[in-house]
Amino acid sequence: AELLDRMVAAGHGERPALWAPVDGKPVHCTYRQLLARANRIARALGEDLGLVPGNRVLLRGPNNPMMAACWLGIVKAGGIVVATMPLLRAKELTQVAVKARCSLALCDARLLEELELARPDCPDLKRIVAFGDGTLESLLKAKPETFDNVDTAADDVALIAFTSGTTGVPKGAMHSHRDIMSVCACFPRSILDVGSDATDEIFCGPAPLAFTFGLGGLLLFPLALGASALLLP
C-alpha cells in the first residue's frame, strides 16, 4: 500500500516507476501499470495458486519489471518473498527452498532448469509457475486490476533474505514490513541526498533484486520516494 497504492492515489499514476531495455531502447512502466500487474499477481496467487498469507514463495528471475511486480504481488497477498539470485544452481536453490519451506515458486522461464533439478529434494515445493513464457501471464489476463491488500501487521515477516552460501550453507534473515519501510524512510534521504522532491530521480545499479542492496536501491527506495529505477538484466 505504501509503495504503490498510495502513490497512485496521490496522483502519480502516470509517472514512470520502472525503466527497462526492450530491443535496445528504454521502455517505461508507470506506477499505475505496475500497481495493476502486482494486483493481478496477488489475485492469481490466492485464487489460482493456493497461496495462504504467511506462505513462503521462492522468486527467481533477472532484473525486469515482471520480477518486480511478482515481488510486490507476493507481499500484497500476504506472502513472504524468498528471492534467489539468477546465478544460484540446484544445490543452493535446494538449501534455500528447504530452509524456508517454500510451497510455491515463481520463476523466469529462462531459469527453470536449475530449479527443476532442485525440485525432487524440496518436499514442500508443490508448484513451480513460470513467467516470461506466457504461463503466469495467462492467469493474469482475466484478473481485475484491483486488489484488497492483505492486512499484515508491522512485525509480520515480508522477506527472508538468504546469503549465497559461498562459505557454507546459505543463511536466511527474516525482515518484517516495518523493517522494509524503516529502511526506505531513513537511508535514501539521509545518505543519497535526493532532496524533498525525488519524482524526477532515476536510480540505477548492477545488483540483482534478489540481493537486498539491489532490492532496496532499485525497487523499494525509488518507489517510496516517488522516483523511478532502471532495471538492467
Side-chain angles (χ1 to χ4, degrees):
E2 288 298 314
L3 298 177
L4 272 183
D5 304 65
R6 180 176 61 85
M7 295 302 299
V8 173
H12 302 299
E14 306 314 313
R15 303 189 73 91
L18 302 173
W19 294 87
V22 176
D23 297 328
K25 298 179 181 179
V27 175
H28 74 266
C29 169
T30 67
Y31 275 82
R32 191 181 310 280
Q33 290 169 332
L34 183 59
L35 173 61
R37 176 159 292 194
N39 284 342
R40 288 187 173 115
I41 291 170
R43 283 185 176 273
L45 288 168
E47 297 170 5
D48 302 299
L49 302 178
L51 180 76
V52 174
N55 285 167
R56 276 74 63 199
V57 181
L58 189 144
L59 184 56
R60 178 167 166 80
N63 286 7
N64 58 40
M66 190 61 173
M67 177 74 169
C70 284
W71 197 99
L72 294 160
I74 293 167
V75 175
K76 277 176 161 285
I80 298 172
V81 182
V82 182
T84 59
M85 287 181 276
L87 290 177
L88 295 188
R89 295 297 178 255
K91 178 183 176 181
E92 294 83 15
L93 292 169
T94 298
Q95 292 169 332
V96 168
V98 169
K99 269 198 168 188
R101 299 185 66 181
C102 298
S103 58
L104 170 67
L106 302 181
C107 180
D108 189 293
R110 296 167 290 181
L111 300 173
L112 274 174
E113 183 178 0
E114 291 293 328
L115 187 56
E116 289 291 357
L117 290 174
R119 189 176 192 171
D121 296 316
C122 303
D124 296 297
L125 187 55
K126 306 301 182 185
R127 190 165 185 177
I128 298 173
V129 180
F131 58 85
D133 65 349
T135 304
L136 177 59
E137 290 85 348
S138 66
L139 295 178
L140 307 182
K141 289 180 179 179
K143 302 297 181 187
E145 295 183 355
T146 58
F147 180 76
D148 293 328
N149 299 323
V150 172
D151 190 15
T152 51
D155 57 358
D156 283 343
V157 176
L159 166 70
I160 302 179
F162 277 86
T163 61
S164 61
T166 52
T167 59
V169 178
K171 296 169 282 292
M174 298 185 294
H175 300 272
S176 70
H177 292 268
R178 179 188 286 118
D179 293 335
I180 291 171
M181 295 313 303
S182 294
V183 171
C184 288
C186 298
F187 180 83
R189 296 194 188 281
S190 301
I191 304 299
L192 302 180
D193 191 28
V194 293
S196 58
D197 184 6
T199 53
D200 290 328
E201 300 280 357
I202 301 177
F203 286 62
C204 181
L209 293 177
F211 189 47
T212 48
F213 288 113
L215 176 68
L218 294 175
L219 185 63
L220 304 181
F221 297 168
L223 292 182
L225 295 169
S228 61
L230 172 61
L231 299 182
L232 299 174

